[in-house]
């Protein structure tokens, strides 16, 4: 808030878009959630672990999987595998891809758009969807060769590429000053990572335009802010945003486009 007030970083606008899982996906999500809840209880009880703070709990589970005996390692592995599968389910649901076409106009009006997801498959799927709606796009992830990533960044800097889709590698250490629109398709559980993602687009713009964030999440799941997801971080973001609105697609597609216009402050 202080940095915004002093003009060190750009003002921000936030658009929130909820999507729903299909019936089959919801069934799989509920099954995985049940396994996760049961495994977490059993692991915390067996090893005397506190679930909070969660990063510490997860670090202990990873350690047990690596160093525990076969029984303990399998129990920890089952929990970690279920977490990973549920995360991939939320990140890669085709319902999120449907949002892309409604953002095409906003992406074309931006000085550069970044898509953040948690999986390589998700980043590649979004990139393909962008190309299908006429957006020049490239994917950035750890599976690419360094020269391939460099080529994508160069194209982005030179405006030949309008959007980059990333699986974590843009979270830190990357300078993309042109970007002014960020689309979080799969949110990190880590507050630090979420702040780093915001940091990619909040640099003050020459024309005074606001930084714009679109948060796409699956309703009634561990991604849903109304269910307490990212509670501390999300409340902080909304408290400093100049405006924040929830949009229902496709009904409010025009309203979303108008909200995301790169209006300047001057």
């Amino acid at each position: 808030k202080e940095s915004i007030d002093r003009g060190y970083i750009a003002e921000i606008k936030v658009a929130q878009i909820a999507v729903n899982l299909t019936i089959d996906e919801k069934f799989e999500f509920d099954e995985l959630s049940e396994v996760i809840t049961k495994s977490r209880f059993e692991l915390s009880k067996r090893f005397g672990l506190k679930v909070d703070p969660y990063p510490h709990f997860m670090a202990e589970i990873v350690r047990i999987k690596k160093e525990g005996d076969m029984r303990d390692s399998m129990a920890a592995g089952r929990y970690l595998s279920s977490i990973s599968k549920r995360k991939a389910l939320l990140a890669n649901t085709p319902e999120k891809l449907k949002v892309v076409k409604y953002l095409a106009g906003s992406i074309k009006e931006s000085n550069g758009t970044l898509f953040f997801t948690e999986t390589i498959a998700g980043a590649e799927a979004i990139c393909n969807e962008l190309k299908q709606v006429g957006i020049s796009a490239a994917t950035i992830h750890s599976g690419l060769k360094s020269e391939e990533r460099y080529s994508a960044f160069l194209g982005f800097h030179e405006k030949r590429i309008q959007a980059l889709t990333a699986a974590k590698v843009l979270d830190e250490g990357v300078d993309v000053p042109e970007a002014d629109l960020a689309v979080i398709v799969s949110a990190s559980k880590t507050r630090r990572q979420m702040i780093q993602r915001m940091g990619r687009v909040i640099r003050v713009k020459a024309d005074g335009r606001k930084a714009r964030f679109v948060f796409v999440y699956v309703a009634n799941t561990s991604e849903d802010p109304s269910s307490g997801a990212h509670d501390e971080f999300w409340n902080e973001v909304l408290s400093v945003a100049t405006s924040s609105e929830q949009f229902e697609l496709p009904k409010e597609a025009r309203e979303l486009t108008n909200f995301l216009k790169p209006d300047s402050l001057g």
Side-chain angles (χ1 to χ4, degrees), residues 134-154:
I135 303 293
S136 56
T139 305
I140 302 291
H141 57 72
S142 58
L144 297 175
K145 296 178 181 179
S146 57
E147 55 265 31
E148 291 176 307
R149 286 190 281 187
Y150 174 78
S151 177
F153 281 123
L154 182 62

Side-chain angles (χ1 to χ4, degrees), residues 188-196 230 232-233 236:
S188 169
K189 291 284 187 183
T190 306
R191 182 175 182 273
R192 178 188 173 205
Q193 279 187 319
M194 292 289 278
I195 290 174
Q196 286 169 337
H230 324 289
E232 178 185 355
F233 169 80
E236 185 177 355

Side-chain angles (χ1 to χ4, degrees), residues 158-177:
E158 294 179 348
K159 308 293 185 184
R160 291 182 287 105
I161 293 174
Q162 295 170 300
L164 291 178
T165 67
K168 294 188 177 181
V169 293
L170 279 177
D171 283 350
E172 53 184 311
V174 175
D175 187 24
V176 281

Side-chain angles (χ1 to χ4, degrees), residues 196-260:
Q196 286 169 337
R197 290 177 176 188
M198 291 187 68
R200 304 284 78 83
V201 299
I202 59 176
R203 181 175 295 188
V204 173
K205 315 304 176 187
D207 62 0
R209 66 175 58 193
K210 297 180 179 71
R212 293 154 295 141
F213 295 89
V214 179
F215 182 38
V216 185
Y217 63 91
V218 180
N220 303 312
T221 70
S222 50
E223 287 188 338
D224 192 337
S226 68
S227 300
H230 324 289
D231 197 28
E232 178 185 355
F233 169 80
W234 199 242
N235 288 337
E236 185 177 355
V237 170
L238 297 183
S239 72
V240 300
T242 58
S243 54
S244 172
E245 292 188 24
Q246 182 87 35
F247 296 92
E248 182 181 343
L249 296 178
K251 184 172 68 174
E252 298 177 328
R254 181 176 297 179
E255 290 83 350
L256 173 64
T257 301
N258 289 335
F259 179 82
L260 293 175

Side-chain angles (χ1 to χ4, degrees), residues 45-88:
K45 186 176 180 180
R46 183 187 301 181
F47 299 103
L49 300 175
K50 293 182 178 180
V51 177
D52 294 321
Y54 189 68
H56 176 72
F57 175 78
M58 286 296 287
E60 284 298 301
I61 299 303
V62 171
R63 183 188 63 79
I64 292 168
K65 184 179 184 301
K66 291 181 178 179
E67 302 174 5
D69 59 27
M70 181 178 294
R71 179 170 174 265
D72 292 345
S73 179
M74 288 181 63
R78 183 165 55 252
Y79 178 74
L80 294 173
S81 175
S82 298
I83 289 284
S84 179
K85 288 177 181 177
R86 188 174 71 173
K87 181 186 294 186

